[in-house]
Amino acid sequence: MTSKHTREVPVLTIDGPSGAGKGAVAANVARRLGWKALDSGAVYRAVAASALDQNVSAEDVDVLVALCDDLPLSFEAGDDGIRVFLDGQPVDGRLRQEEVSSMSSRIASQSAVRAALMDLQRSFRQPPGLVADGRDMGTVVFPDAQIKVFLDASVEERANRRYKQLKEKGKDVNFLRLFRDLEARDRRDRERSVSPTVPAADAEVIDSTAMTLEAVIDRVLSIARERV
Ligand code: C5P
């Protein structure tokens, strides 16, 4: 249960579609405020990785729900994103693998899985404050958050950013395929019946298409400082 005390801890939610830069913005804002960070996508990814390791299908809801129990996850705000640890070990590499991305979006559309992960996500609300990155942080998980941001960017710009990131890592990427994958994932996330990716009514929408990362961070920090 969320205690009264916990509800008073400030939360800044950053929701938005894939590739809008939420992770880098959330990590930098958390560091500058000295707050904790939650990467909720990594919570779904951790369940997906564990399901893949144990040959559990995306339709086997009862087993998936059991996998959501007592996940020993922790987060650290790094320079370019939120780092993820499972049992104290870094797991970013495994969680970013393509098979895990695909499985995580499939299990994320199961309402029983979403419900089973609710308390875990809320448990990261600890003093002095929390920056939570995801799709439904401001609408479902922390509806009483003091500061809500919805970070968007055109699909072309998001695909461009992802393309450059992958190229810099020496990966062989096809821009058109990446663009189409992003469009398909957007549609699935926006149109699903449970917790679709939409801005909360009280969220500040930031279109980062023509903004630098530093400008977005400054904008989010100034919104935060107005409200807490
Ligand atoms: O943000 P990220 O790409 O790591 O998220 C992985 C998957 O988890 C996405 O496909 C998204 O649909 C799902 N997700 C979600 N709700 C969240 C965060 C992520 O459904 N709050």
Side-chain angles (χ1 to χ4, degrees):
M1 280 297 278
T2 315
S3 69
K4 180 171 184 294
H5 172 72
T6 312
R7 285 200 307 272
E8 283 162 4
V9 174
V11 181
L12 189 171
T13 58
I14 305 181
D15 289 309
S18 295
K22 299 182 305 272
V25 173
N28 278 280
V29 168
R31 278 165 75 119
R32 298 214 202 155
L33 292 173
W35 288 8
K36 306 200 181 299
L38 161 65
D39 174 355
S40 62
V43 174
Y44 289 93
R45 287 174 182 270
V47 178
S50 145
L52 288 167
D53 290 346
Q54 298 178 50
N55 278 319
V56 176
S57 93
E59 282 69 48
D60 201 343
V61 178
D62 291 345
V63 183
L64 289 174
V65 166
L67 293 180
C68 296
D69 241 17
D70 293 328
L71 270 179
L73 276 174
S74 54
F75 301 97
E76 208 178 276
D79 288 334
D80 53 1
I82 300 172
R83 303 202 55 208
V84 191
F85 302 84
L86 190 66
D87 252 334
Q89 299 302 312
V91 284
D92 306 80
R94 166 69 173 140
L95 296 193
R96 294 277 147 213
Q97 284 174 358
E98 195 42 52
E99 58 164 359
V100 176
S101 302
S102 154
M103 184 68 161
S104 64
S105 93
R106 293 171 63 204
I107 65 159
S109 62
Q110 302 278 13
S111 55
V113 171
R114 304 198 73 87
L117 292 171
M118 195 68 84
D119 284 352
L120 171 66
Q121 294 177 85
R122 289 182 175 154
S123 72
F124 289 96
R125 188 174 196 169
Q126 300 283 337
L130 175 70
V131 179
D133 153 355
R135 307 286 193 292
D136 61 343
M137 297 294 97
T139 48
V140 178
V141 181
F142 302 108
D144 62 337
Q146 291 81 347
I147 316 142
K148 297 183 186 180
V149 167
F150 189 88
L151 191 57
D152 212 341
S154 71
V155 62
E156 291 82 2
E157 176 62 16
R158 288 184 287 121
N160 258 321
R161 290 178 192 168
R162 190 58 53 92
Y163 182 79
K164 277 194 205 144
Q165 269 173 1
L166 293 170
K167 275 282 185 201
E168 276 163 19
K169 287 184 185 158
K171 300 243 164 80
D172 181 25
V173 272
N174 175 313
F175 180 81
L176 202 58
R177 180 165 334 136
L178 204 147
F179 180 91
R180 288 193 179 131
D181 282 355
L182 207 57
E183 256 187 338
R185 208 141 28 103
D186 276 2
R187 201 169 316 116
R188 223 175 19 234
D189 283 350
R190 285 199 161 113
E191 293 174 3
R192 70 180 173 211
S193 58
V194 281
S195 303
T197 309
V198 289
D202 50 349
E204 188 91 26
V205 178
I206 301 177
D207 182 343
S208 75
T209 306
M211 290 171 82
T212 62
L213 174 62
E214 209 44 50
V216 179
I217 294 166
D218 286 348
R219 176 86 192 101
V220 175
L221 282 170
S222 84
I223 296 169
R225 290 183 178 127
E226 275 164 21
R227 306 213 186 151
V228 286

